[in-house]
Amino acid sequence: MLVRITEMLKYAKKEGYAVPALAAVDELTSRAAIEAAERMKSPVILLCMENGNKDLCYFGKMINDFAIRAQIPVALVYDHTTSFESAIKGIRAGFNCIMVDRSQIPYKENVAQVKELVRIAHAANVEVESELGHVGMEGSDAQDSECALTVPDEALKFVEETDVDCLAVAIGTSHGVYKGKPKLRFDLLEKIAQKVTVPLVLHGGSGTGDENLAKTCRKGICKVNIVNDLYRSAYNALISDGMEGNRIYNLFPVLSKGYIETAMHFMKVLGSAGKAI
Ligand SMILES: [Zn+2]
């Protein structure tokens, strides 16, 4: 069934687990995410990266249909929209949540731009996730200048000023592959969770480590974005199969199998398995 993200995350927050937001950019990945969730009886979020699908209106219709027919709760997020136009595109395509990322611009402007889009999205019955602090790209970590950790008091102010529905926080995770060992600031997460009442989101779940992820859920993270590990697992399944001769006809089912296995693993790690109600 299609559900609002805040409705879904309300239970996650209460019970101390996180819902995985899984890369879903086409029919194969969307079906794989839902199949994994149905097998694990887990709620799931389909996460489409900005420009992840070339025909967003068609894709939006398709995943709405998938969500309605799914046996588990499904929410639809259009991730990291970086412009006004892109956010509107996500709303028009039928996502029931858009992520508005202005984490790299100065605070005051960030608030102004996010606030405007929250007002528009809410009028269209769409929810909004935003990010404060900045989760870096490609192996950057908390020590990198590109990253900026979330400041708890600022996070509280930001949520009040913008009226966002969920907040992504920067506590030391990174998008893509990590350079070294991830160093997560659990102390910081605790402080943010004490102040901010909206559900907290962790970006860059891939490569963070099972133990670290499980701990973030216990300390207030309600949604974890996973992309890289799913794709890597799909690729590895293909390589280990070898695809000799007519095995090539199994190309897409094997990719899907690799994706599903890792998605199911994350549902156990995040504690969402068995929580579909
Ligand atoms: Zn992200």
Side-chain angles (χ1 to χ4, degrees), residues 24-274:
V25 294
D26 58 8
E27 181 175 349
L28 185 134
T29 45
S30 303
R31 282 192 190 276
I34 291 177
E35 188 178 331
E38 286 182 337
R39 277 160 67 174
M40 295 307 287
K41 299 198 176 352
S42 166
V44 71
I45 295 160
L46 300 189
L47 187 74
C48 180
M49 287 73 84
E50 186 181 42
N51 302 321
N53 187 288
K54 282 185 181 166
D55 191 350
L56 205 66
C57 276
Y58 175 75
F59 180 66
K61 284 193 188 89
M62 184 181 75
I63 55 174
N64 264 276
D65 185 53
F66 286 177
I68 290 163
R69 289 191 285 131
Q71 289 156 27
I72 37 91
V74 181
L76 310 170
V77 174
Y78 192 45
D79 203 25
H80 283 292
T81 66
T82 47
S83 68
F84 181 86
E85 289 73 17
S86 177
I88 300 297
K89 205 170 149 190
I91 294 171
R92 292 199 61 203
F95 290 86
N96 66 358
C97 179
I98 52 168
M99 193 235 173
V100 178
D101 182 3
R102 302 291 183 275
S103 58
Q104 280 179 293
I105 62 174
Y107 179 84
K108 232 178 150 183
E109 207 161 315
N110 184 350
V111 168
Q113 290 192 21
V114 172
K115 198 174 167 181
E116 183 186 23
L117 278 162
V118 166
R119 192 164 170 239
I120 293 166
H122 284 179
N125 202 23
V126 169
E127 298 187 295
V128 177
E129 173 188 327
S130 195
E131 177 172 319
L132 198 67
H134 182 68
V135 179
M137 280 303 293
E138 295 303 324
S140 50
D141 62 23
Q143 279 72 44
D144 275 322
S145 55
E146 196 216 340
C147 287
L149 295 174
T150 307
V151 178
D153 282 325
E154 207 173 67
L156 172 67
K157 205 167 138 229
F158 183 79
V159 171
E160 285 174 353
E161 287 178 347
T162 57
D163 198 24
V164 288
D165 302 288
C166 341
L167 184 71
V169 291
I171 56 162
T173 56
S174 154
H175 288 113
V177 179
Y178 285 89
K179 262 187 227 154
K181 255 187 137 198
K183 293 178 206 77
L184 267 61
R185 288 283 308 275
F186 293 107
D187 58 322
L188 189 60
L189 174 59
E190 267 176 17
K191 280 185 195 135
I192 300 165
Q194 277 165 11
K195 288 181 186 284
V196 176
T197 54
V198 298
L200 300 178
V201 177
L202 191 73
H203 283 232
S206 293
T208 303
D210 292 354
E211 230 170 90
N212 277 339
L213 285 181
K215 199 168 166 189
T216 62
C217 302
R218 292 195 299 272
K219 293 191 181 293
I221 292 291
C222 306
K223 167 180 176 265
V224 176
N225 288 9
I226 301 154
V227 179
N228 203 292
D229 279 356
L230 296 170
Y231 288 0
R232 183 64 54 195
S233 178
Y235 172 76
N236 287 342
L238 206 61
I239 298 302
S240 62
D241 185 289
M243 294 280 127
E244 289 295 322
N246 286 342
R247 281 291 301 160
I248 199 70
Y249 296 144
N250 292 308
L251 177 71
F252 296 109
V254 168
L255 280 173
S256 186
K257 191 169 167 271
Y259 178 118
I260 289 170
E261 275 166 14
T262 296
M264 286 168 64
H265 170 75
F266 276 112
M267 286 162 190
K268 285 185 230 159
V269 171
L270 303 182
S272 67

